[in-house]
């Protein structure tokens, strides 16, 4: 192996991008001010469900600085915001897919629905004018509750009677039913996976302009996948030729899934920028973001786990109602089906599984992917069931897991996935050591001596990452490919620019991708720059979500590098008067095997741009290659988490004393960045378990948790000092880097571990999320 270089894989290299962020030199969408800049403000619905009887903009249009006011009438001729995933019903008919208008067209369907766009010289003028718009509403009954949406008297959409979007299933229904009927023991649980509201540090923002000379549009937008944004907006909504639209996602301050989607706000800005002939900027205020960003989770589930007398799993049956909100967001329909139901095998070799998912419309904000996207919901179901079954059968929670782990790979699950590799017992064993489970009894006794309750909870998660392959996704309803693209441009001096279709919004791509390139080419990281987020520069790529950046985007880059090296060998062979087949590349040098002949990478790169120095009749000048990569399978990160809590039964206050995470991410490029990703995921998972809950009034449909006064975000004093370890790991078998993905693991594995620990402490079967002090207090009184 070569001596480590500044970009050597496996080193905790400090993030190169942090310098500009920490010194305030990052450039976010709101930082971009264009010549003749104007500003947009959206008038939003105060009602969850209402007809728009009349709408007058005449007074608002006279207000100072107003450049234009646009309503649903202006967008009647354009398409609706598309859903990217078609799900078919059990009977084979397609899901209900009502039009999702850019601005409300005669009817509003949730509080915060877009009614009008006001454009003015300043934000203050636009706000003042928006207040002058006169709207008369005829309020209708709101459909709010997920569990009872299909029984509601009102329909959110006339073309979706009973508020059902689809009824879908996967697995062996008859076989599962037979196994449950004949089982020695069946554990049953019903629970809700609470609605979450994303809160990236940077709110959504957009700045759109139109150039009449070139007839081209430019959109700066806080987005995770600019090419997909452009494709959906151009092809399905506005009808703009795709080559006439440039989308730039500059520095983006977090996304967590909520910035994957095409929203009506940026779409309206693009259309209106041509109408007024000036660029339009809009930045969401935090209260506006609570109302209008796509929310996450919101499942109601009943599950049954059948076992023999020794705790061996025989079958799992799951019935879930998933809330879509008022409209179908970009990937909303895939979350409770392809990304949820297919993961309900967990780490276990359960022979029979059957899952039914009913998706429903309600008068609430659209629900879509949020960190983990289906995988946290699936892990919560499986791990709450396993922990409860262990209690009911009197088996140690770790032991019941060991008895049922998948041990032979590859393993085809009953719900459509094939795990390529893993060692689940190893991560569980190590987590038990790190958590000092052996010393738990003594700590529990010490807590009891103080009148407190102490509990221990386990969670063994698995997730499908590297969202792809296109062939599988397409068969399951995806309306787009899920490949990734990479371009490696070697300059004459040997410096390298990499263009990637992946997008970084906190993941550290400018560091980790540079580490990969530096390792493969044997050059310093300082000689490498990473470009992303601009459709005008980068090959068509699918963006960043589902922990896919290194596994899919990184592999595309590696494949482009392989082409660079292959061409470089031919040039080097000419320079060293050797056969192509005798040239090897290592340590940044091209060498003739078995000799001391060698030429450095920079010499070959310079030669590539001086054609008379190599056989240009056989090779094109230049050293620039690109590659597209479409994986053959998902990647499957997995791990074991153990949570230890202490509870004051008099107040219900829960304190997380210890949180241990042991993950198998395959090969790791930058351990420091990986640990940071896990820390962030743990914080979000603990937030869901203890604090966060998006709540609507059951009658009016008003959002009751529309600010930080009512929506509780985790703070530093809510969290313990985490114990995090990345296991030696089982490398992914189907990508050259052997990586699996790490960005969502913490948010997936932690919620059930926390709730399992609380249930263990109180001796109860279930405590709903979020386990607020009041909720825990009630459970403690019930147990007493």
């Amino acid at each position: 192996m070569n001596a480590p270089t500044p970009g050597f894989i496996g080193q905790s290299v400090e993030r190169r991008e942090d310098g500009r962020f920490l010194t305030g030199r990052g450039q976010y969408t709101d930082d971009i001010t264009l010549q003749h800049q104007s500003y947009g403000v959206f008038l939003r619905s105060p009602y969850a469900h209402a007809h728009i009887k009349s709408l007058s903009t005449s007074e608002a249009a006279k207000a100072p600085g107003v450049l234009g006011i646009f309503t649903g009438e202006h967008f009647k001729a354009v398409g609706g915001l598309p859903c990217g995933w078609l799900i078919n019903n059990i009977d084979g008919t397609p899901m209900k897919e009502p039009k999702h208008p850019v601005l409300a067209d005669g009817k509003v369907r949730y509080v915060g629905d877009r009614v009008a766009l006001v454009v003015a010289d300043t934000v203050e003028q636009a706000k003042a004018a928006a207040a002058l718009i006169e709207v008369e509403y005829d309020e209708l009954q709101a459909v709010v509750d997920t569990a009872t949406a299909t029984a509601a008297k009102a329909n959110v959409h006339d073309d979706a009677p009973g508020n059902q979007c689809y009824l879908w299933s996967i697995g062996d229904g008859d076989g599962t039913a037979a196994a449950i009927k004949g089982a020695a023991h069946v554990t049953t649980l019903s629970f809700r996976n609470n609605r979450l509201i994303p809160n990236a540090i940077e709110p959504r923002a957009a700045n759109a302009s139109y150039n009449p000379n070139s007839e081209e549009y430019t959109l700066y937008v806080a987005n995770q996948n600019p090419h997909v944004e452009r494709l959906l907006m151009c092809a399905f909504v506005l009808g703009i030729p795709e080559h006439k639209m440039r989308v730039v996602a500059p520095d983006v301050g977090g996304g967590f899934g909520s910035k994957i989607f095409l929203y009506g706000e940026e779409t309206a800005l693009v259309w209106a920028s041509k109408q007024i002939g000036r660029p339009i900027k809009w930045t969401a205020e935090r209260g506006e973001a609570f109302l209008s960003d796509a929310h996450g989770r919101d499942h109601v589930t009943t599950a049954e786990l059948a076992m023999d007398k020794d705790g061996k799993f025989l079958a799992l049956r799951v019935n879930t109602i998933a809330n879509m909100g008022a409209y179908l967001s970009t990937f909303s329909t895939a979350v409770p089906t392809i990304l949820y139901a297919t993961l309900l095998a967990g780490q276990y070799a359960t022979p029979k599984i059957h899952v039914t998912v009913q998706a429903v419309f309600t008068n609430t904000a659209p629900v879509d992917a949020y960190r983990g996207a289906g995988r946290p919901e699936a892990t919560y179901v499986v791990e709450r069931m396993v922990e409860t079954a262990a209690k009911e059968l009197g088996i140690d929670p770790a032991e019941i897991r060991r008895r049922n782990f998948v041990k032979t790979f590859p393993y085809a699950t009953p719900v459509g996935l094939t795990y390529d590799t893993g060692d689940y017992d190893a991560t569980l064993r190590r987590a038990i050591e790190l958590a000092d489970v052996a010393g738990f009894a003594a700590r529990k006794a010490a807590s009891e001596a103080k009148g407190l309750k102490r509990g221990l909870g386990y969670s063994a998660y698995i997730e499908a990452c590297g969202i792809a392959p296109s062939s599988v996704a397409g068969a399951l309803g995806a309306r787009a490919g899920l490949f990734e693209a990479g371009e490696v441009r070697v300059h004459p001096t040997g410096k390298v620019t990499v263009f990637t279709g992946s997008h970084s919004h906190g993941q550290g791509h400018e560091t980790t991708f540079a580490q990969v390139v530096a390792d493969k080419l044997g050059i310093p990281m300082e000689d490498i720059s990473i470009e992303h987020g601009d459709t005008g520069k980068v090959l068509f790529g699918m963006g960043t979500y589902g922990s896919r950046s290194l596994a899919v985007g990184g592999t595309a880059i590696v494949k482009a590098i392989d082409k660079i090296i292959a061409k470089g060998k031919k040039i080097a062979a000419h320079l060293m008067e050797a056969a192509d087949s005798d040239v090897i590349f290592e340590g940044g040098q091209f060498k003739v095997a078995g000799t001391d002949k060698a030429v450095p990478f920079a010499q070959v790169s310079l030669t590539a741009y001086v054609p008379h120095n190599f056989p240009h009749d056989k090779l094109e000048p230049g050293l620039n290659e690109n590659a597209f990569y479409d994986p053959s399978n998902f990647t499957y990160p997995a791990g074991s988490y153990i949570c230890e809590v202490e509870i004051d039964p008099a107040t219900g206050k829960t304190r997380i004393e210890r949180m241990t995470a042991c993950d198998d991410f395959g090969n790791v490029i930058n351990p420091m960045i990986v640990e940071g990703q896990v820390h962030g995921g743990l914080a979000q998972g603990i937030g869901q378990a203890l604090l966060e809950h998006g709540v609507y009034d059951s009658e009016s449909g008003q959002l009751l948790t529309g600010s930080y006064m009512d929506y509780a975000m985790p703070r530093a004093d809510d969290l313990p000092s985490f114990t995090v370890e990345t296991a030696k790991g089982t490398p992914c078998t189907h990508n050259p880097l052997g990586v699996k993905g790490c960005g969502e693991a913490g948010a997936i594995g932690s919620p059930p571990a926390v709730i399992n620990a609380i249930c263990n402490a109180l001796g109860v079967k279930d405590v709903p999320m979020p386990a607020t002090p009041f909720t825990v207090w009630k459970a403690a009184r019930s147990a007493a």
Side-chain angles (χ1 to χ4, degrees), residues 314-325:
L314 304 175
L316 175 67
R317 180 163 58 198
V318 178
N319 289 285
T320 292
I321 303 173
N323 195 341
M324 298 286 100

PDB file of all heavy atoms in Angstrom, residues 314-325:
ATOM      1  N   LEU A 314     -41.562 -16.339  13.219  1.00  0.00           N
ATOM      2  CA  LEU A 314     -42.227 -17.107  12.170  1.00  0.00           C
ATOM      3  C   LEU A 314     -42.869 -16.207  11.114  1.00  0.00           C
ATOM      4  O   LEU A 314     -42.856 -16.540   9.927  1.00  0.00           O
ATOM      5  CB  LEU A 314     -43.303 -18.010  12.785  1.00  0.00           C
ATOM      6  CG  LEU A 314     -42.842 -18.982  13.872  1.00  0.00           C
ATOM      7  CD1 LEU A 314     -44.043 -19.720  14.452  1.00  0.00           C
ATOM      8  CD2 LEU A 314     -41.824 -19.965  13.311  1.00  0.00           C
ATOM      9  N   ALA A 315     -43.436 -15.092  11.556  1.00  0.00           N
ATOM     10  CA  ALA A 315     -44.149 -14.224  10.610  1.00  0.00           C
ATOM     11  C   ALA A 315     -44.341 -12.849  11.214  1.00  0.00           C
ATOM     12  O   ALA A 315     -44.424 -12.692  12.446  1.00  0.00           O
ATOM     13  CB  ALA A 315     -45.497 -14.821  10.238  1.00  0.00           C
ATOM     14  N   LEU A 316     -44.436 -11.852  10.338  1.00  0.00           N
ATOM     15  CA  LEU A 316     -44.724 -10.480  10.732  1.00  0.00           C
ATOM     16  C   LEU A 316     -45.798  -9.930   9.805  1.00  0.00           C
ATOM     17  O   LEU A 316     -45.661  -9.992   8.579  1.00  0.00           O
ATOM     18  CB  LEU A 316     -43.465  -9.610  10.634  1.00  0.00           C
ATOM     19  CG  LEU A 316     -43.642  -8.115  10.915  1.00  0.00           C
ATOM     20  CD1 LEU A 316     -44.017  -7.864  12.374  1.00  0.00           C
ATOM     21  CD2 LEU A 316     -42.372  -7.346  10.548  1.00  0.00           C
ATOM     22  N   ARG A 317     -46.869  -9.408  10.412  1.00  0.00           N
ATOM     23  CA  ARG A 317     -47.936  -8.782   9.621  1.00  0.00           C
ATOM     24  C   ARG A 317     -48.081  -7.336  10.074  1.00  0.00           C
ATOM     25  O   ARG A 317     -48.206  -7.060  11.274  1.00  0.00           O
ATOM     26  CB  ARG A 317     -49.249  -9.535   9.791  1.00  0.00           C
ATOM     27  CG  ARG A 317     -50.396  -8.932   8.980  1.00  0.00           C
ATOM     28  CD  ARG A 317     -51.561  -9.904   8.841  1.00  0.00           C
ATOM     29  NE  ARG A 317     -52.088 -10.342  10.120  1.00  0.00           N
ATOM     30  CZ  ARG A 317     -52.856 -11.415  10.286  1.00  0.00           C
ATOM     31  NH1 ARG A 317     -53.143 -12.190   9.229  1.00  0.00           N
ATOM     32  NH2 ARG A 317     -53.316 -11.746  11.474  1.00  0.00           N
ATOM     33  N   VAL A 318     -48.052  -6.425   9.108  1.00  0.00           N
ATOM     34  CA  VAL A 318     -48.082  -4.992   9.411  1.00  0.00           C
ATOM     35  C   VAL A 318     -49.150  -4.317   8.567  1.00  0.00           C
ATOM     36  O   VAL A 318     -49.220  -4.522   7.350  1.00  0.00           O
ATOM     37  CB  VAL A 318     -46.711  -4.339   9.133  1.00  0.00           C
ATOM     38  CG1 VAL A 318     -46.767  -2.831   9.403  1.00  0.00           C
ATOM     39  CG2 VAL A 318     -45.613  -4.983   9.973  1.00  0.00           C
ATOM     40  N   ASN A 319     -49.982  -3.506   9.228  1.00  0.00           N
ATOM     41  CA  ASN A 319     -50.968  -2.679   8.532  1.00  0.00           C
ATOM     42  C   ASN A 319     -50.719  -1.224   8.914  1.00  0.00           C
ATOM     43  O   ASN A 319     -50.773  -0.868  10.099  1.00  0.00           O
ATOM     44  CB  ASN A 319     -52.392  -3.091   8.932  1.00  0.00           C
ATOM     45  CG  ASN A 319     -52.768  -4.445   8.362  1.00  0.00           C
ATOM     46  OD1 ASN A 319     -53.042  -4.563   7.170  1.00  0.00           O
ATOM     47  ND2 ASN A 319     -52.774  -5.461   9.198  1.00  0.00           N
ATOM     48  N   THR A 320     -50.461  -0.400   7.909  1.00  0.00           N
ATOM     49  CA  THR A 320     -50.097   0.994   8.151  1.00  0.00           C
ATOM     50  C   THR A 320     -50.989   1.935   7.356  1.00  0.00           C
ATOM     51  O   THR A 320     -51.282   1.681   6.175  1.00  0.00           O
ATOM     52  CB  THR A 320     -48.623   1.238   7.765  1.00  0.00           C
ATOM     53  OG1 THR A 320     -47.783   0.527   8.674  1.00  0.00           O
ATOM     54  CG2 THR A 320     -48.268   2.715   7.819  1.00  0.00           C
ATOM     55  N   ILE A 321     -51.415   3.004   8.010  1.00  0.00           N
ATOM     56  CA  ILE A 321     -52.076   4.121   7.325  1.00  0.00           C
ATOM     57  C   ILE A 321     -51.061   5.258   7.286  1.00  0.00           C
ATOM     58  O   ILE A 321     -50.531   5.669   8.329  1.00  0.00           O
ATOM     59  CB  ILE A 321     -53.350   4.564   8.066  1.00  0.00           C
ATOM     60  CG1 ILE A 321     -54.314   3.391   8.225  1.00  0.00           C
ATOM     61  CG2 ILE A 321     -54.027   5.706   7.304  1.00  0.00           C
ATOM     62  CD1 ILE A 321     -55.518   3.716   9.106  1.00  0.00           C
ATOM     63  N   ALA A 322     -50.761   5.740   6.092  1.00  0.00           N
ATOM     64  CA  ALA A 322     -49.740   6.775   5.910  1.00  0.00           C
ATOM     65  C   ALA A 322     -50.397   8.060   5.414  1.00  0.00           C
ATOM     66  O   ALA A 322     -51.156   8.041   4.444  1.00  0.00           O
ATOM     67  CB  ALA A 322     -48.680   6.312   4.914  1.00  0.00           C
ATOM     68  N   ASN A 323     -50.089   9.149   6.072  1.00  0.00           N
ATOM     69  CA  ASN A 323     -50.656  10.450   5.727  1.00  0.00           C
ATOM     70  C   ASN A 323     -49.839  11.094   4.616  1.00  0.00           C
ATOM     71  O   ASN A 323     -48.644  11.314   4.765  1.00  0.00           O
ATOM     72  CB  ASN A 323     -50.654  11.342   6.978  1.00  0.00           C
ATOM     73  CG  ASN A 323     -51.537  12.567   6.828  1.00  0.00           C
ATOM     74  OD1 ASN A 323     -51.881  12.970   5.720  1.00  0.00           O
ATOM     75  ND2 ASN A 323     -51.897  13.169   7.947  1.00  0.00           N
ATOM     76  N   MET A 324     -50.481  11.405   3.501  1.00  0.00           N
ATOM     77  CA  MET A 324     -49.832  12.112   2.391  1.00  0.00           C
ATOM     78  C   MET A 324     -49.962  13.624   2.515  1.00  0.00           C
ATOM     79  O   MET A 324     -49.306  14.362   1.783  1.00  0.00           O
ATOM     80  CB  MET A 324     -50.459  11.687   1.052  1.00  0.00           C
ATOM     81  CG  MET A 324     -50.322  10.216   0.701  1.00  0.00           C
ATOM     82  SD  MET A 324     -48.650   9.757   0.196  1.00  0.00           S
ATOM     83  CE  MET A 324     -48.059   9.037   1.727  1.00  0.00           C
ATOM     84  N   GLY A 325     -50.826  14.095   3.425  1.00  0.00           N
ATOM     85  CA  GLY A 325     -51.119  15.515   3.474  1.00  0.00           C
ATOM     86  C   GLY A 325     -52.111  15.896   2.390  1.00  0.00           C
ATOM     87  O   GLY A 325     -52.842  15.059   1.857  1.00  0.00           O
TER      88      GLY A 325
END
